[in-house]
Amino acid sequence: MQKFTMKLWTVAAGAAAATTMAVPAGAMADPNAPTSPVPSDFVYPTGFDKALSLMLAGEGGENGIGSHRVWPTLSFPALTTEQIRKSLSGNTLAIPYHYAHQYGADGRVGGYNIRYDPTDLKKCPKTEIPGDGLLLYEGVCSAQVKEPVTGNWKAEDNKLCVDVAWAGKSQITGCYTMFFVMDSVAMVKPDGTVSGKAHALKKGAAPDM
């Protein structure tokens, strides 16, 4: 059983930062920590379905969703094949200001990727206005352009396997282990490194982010 593990003192930086700490299972095991059981109701005290419903309702993260009881090492179990299907089917994985990928129950992926194109500097306000579609960074004003996403997905062998394309070519491919980390989702590559940033799990075809 794969686990997403971090030292407890790294958690203070927040769930998004914590997802950058992934390492191969066992690499950071604390020999003094009590042995944790395999994922069960001990991991999800109210059951996985209830934990998932809280995440989709925007309430995820209470008591460290999916985590074992906390000792010097904080551990999150990988989602099973069935848990991945329940989590993604008909819902959206998103990284704000980067993309929103919608996972259809039919195995297709839709949504959009956000591209930033330089535009007239005068269009950007000096103070950031969330949702205005403009970004001022290092003196360059950029406008958000949403590129439609196509692709397919499936859950197998306790992994999420995807082939997602935009701008005329495949951009995200391969199989990833998924973890609920507090109120975020971590996608971990086969080599144990985290793919990108922390993801948000949103109910349905999520609106613009």
Side-chain angles (χ1 to χ4, degrees):
M1 176 59 67
Q2 289 184 282
K3 294 180 181 179
F4 185 98
T5 306
M6 67 191 83
K7 286 294 185 181
L8 178 56
W9 48 82
T10 66
V11 179
T19 58
T20 65
M21 302 299 293
V23 295
M28 295 179 65
D30 187 333
N32 298 315
T35 301
S36 296
V38 296
S40 65
D41 286 344
F42 180 71
V43 180
Y44 299 102
T46 59
F48 179 81
D49 289 350
K50 178 64 173 179
L52 175 59
S53 70
L54 287 174
M55 288 194 75
L56 293 175
E59 301 178 29
E62 289 85 355
N63 299 315
I65 189 168
S67 66
H68 296 289
R69 289 179 181 171
V70 175
W71 295 295
T73 296
L74 184 60
S75 179
F76 298 86
L79 300 189
T80 65
T81 298
E82 182 59 27
Q83 289 171 344
I84 293 171
R85 289 193 185 117
K86 282 186 176 182
S87 300
L88 293 186
S89 185
N91 296 319
T92 299
L93 273 181
I95 298 180
Y97 308 109
H98 289 276
Y99 61 69
H101 293 171
Q102 301 160 353
Y103 287 76
D106 59 0
R108 290 187 291 182
V109 180
Y112 60 85
N113 175 70
I114 296 178
R115 187 181 77 236
Y116 289 87
D117 290 349
T119 188
D120 185 352
L121 182 61
K122 295 179 181 179
K123 292 183 178 181
C124 274
K126 293 183 179 179
T127 302
E128 186 72 19
I129 301 176
D132 69 351
L134 297 168
L135 174 68
L136 181 62
Y137 181 71
E138 294 186 344
V140 177
C141 181
S142 298
Q144 292 182 357
V145 178
K146 293 181 179 178
E147 303 173 293
V149 162
T150 60
N152 55 73
W153 73 279
K154 62 182 177 180
E156 63 179 13
D157 299 327
N158 302 322
K159 290 180 174 60
L160 168 65
C161 298
V162 297
D163 185 357
V164 180
W166 64 85
K169 64 179 180 179
S170 291
Q171 305 276 3
I172 302 176
T173 60
C175 296
Y176 302 83
T177 307
M178 285 183 62
F179 300 84
F180 283 174
V181 181
M182 302 301 184
D183 58 353
S184 299
V185 177
M187 309 287 290
V188 179
K189 301 175 184 178
D191 65 1
T193 58
V194 173
S195 175
K197 303 178 181 180
H199 292 70
L201 179 62
K202 300 293 184 179
K203 187 173 183 178
D208 295 348
M209 300 187 65

